[in-house]
Amino acid sequence: MPCYEFEGLVPVVHPTAYVHPTAVLIGDVIVGADVYIGPCASLRGDYGRLIVKQGSNVQDGCIMHGYCDVDTIVEENVSVGHGAILHGCVIRRNCLVGMNSVVMDGAEIGEESIVAAMSFVKAGFKGASRQLLVGSPAKELRQVTDRDMHWHGLNIQEYQALAGRSARSIKEVQPLAEMEPNRPHLAGVTDVQPKM
């Protein structure tokens, strides 16, 4: 993976985390245990510290960046969906940040909350726990249910398993010219429990 020191600070990646080879880590970045960082994610710790805690995932094309003297924090068991941007904010444990959402400086997403896809959380927003936030600017639509959290737990479980699967099996290759006969489908995730 492209990993760069910045002004004496070198990114830290726990040995059980998986960072895709096309993701970029710069400077003051801390990646915890069982974390999955997806392809083309950019974690640019050249202003404030970026922290991704245990069991979380930051998916393809996500951007994390901060502001001077401010930590951008993704707590435990958080899913940050494809293309989301987190800037100088805090995402509390067991949250889901939907695809292409933006969470701005000083915002705090409460524990077990969901930011719907394509939502914009304005700077300074202070959320409560279990809020479903929707829109631009994001507003609470309803409370997050136990069923919502069940589905989120399954997503976390899949990405925690994917970190290990990726570490064991991803390698750069040349593409085939055509599909081989009887090409198998990928196996689903089974019998894996989320580390919560």
Side-chain angles (χ1 to χ4, degrees):
M1 88 195 92
C3 190
Y4 301 95
E5 177 180 343
F6 183 80
E7 294 183 349
L9 290 172
V10 175
V12 177
V13 177
H14 191 277
T16 62
Y18 175 77
V19 180
H20 189 275
T22 62
V24 178
L25 307 182
I26 300 170
D28 198 2
V29 177
I30 314 295
V31 175
D34 305 311
V35 165
Y36 174 88
I37 306 293
C40 300
S42 174
L43 283 69
R44 189 161 63 92
D46 55 8
Y47 278 86
R49 178 169 293 165
L50 310 180
I51 303 168
V52 182
K53 294 187 178 182
Q54 182 172 358
S56 290
N57 60 81
V58 177
Q59 298 172 20
D60 322 45
C62 289
I63 297 171
M64 285 183 69
H65 193 238
Y67 197 66
C68 298
D69 301 321
V70 174
D71 292 349
T72 302
I73 303 171
V74 171
E75 289 189 347
E76 295 84 357
N77 298 313
V78 169
S79 283
V80 182
H82 314 290
I85 299 173
L86 306 180
H87 201 280
C89 58
V90 177
I91 312 297
R92 296 286 176 208
R93 63 187 301 276
N94 292 326
C95 285
L96 168 63
V97 177
M99 295 180 221
N100 290 309
S101 292
V102 176
V103 184
M104 290 299 296
D105 298 282
E108 184 174 327
I109 305 301
E111 189 172 297
E112 297 187 341
S113 290
I114 297 173
V115 178
M118 308 276 298
S119 294
F120 177 81
V121 179
K122 63 185 181 179
F125 174 87
K126 299 298 180 203
S129 62
R130 286 216 167 189
Q131 290 181 307
L132 173 59
L133 301 168
V134 178
S136 181
K139 294 185 174 135
E140 183 176 7
L141 179 65
R142 63 170 171 82
Q143 287 286 290
V144 169
T145 66
D146 289 342
R147 183 170 172 79
D148 295 330
M149 289 311 300
H150 169 76
W151 287 109
H152 171 64
L154 293 176
N155 178 262
I156 286 293
Q157 176 181 332
E158 290 169 354
Y159 271 93
Q160 288 171 351
L162 184 59
R165 290 171 64 204
S166 296
R168 290 187 299 275
S169 68
I170 282 186
K171 60 183 178 179
E172 190 169 357
V173 297
Q174 292 298 314
L176 301 174
E178 58 184 65
M179 188 171 89
E180 62 271 54
N182 301 316
R183 182 182 179 99
H185 284 85
L186 292 170
V189 177
T190 58
D191 299 326
V192 179
Q193 297 300 313
K195 297 174 183 177
M196 295 186 156

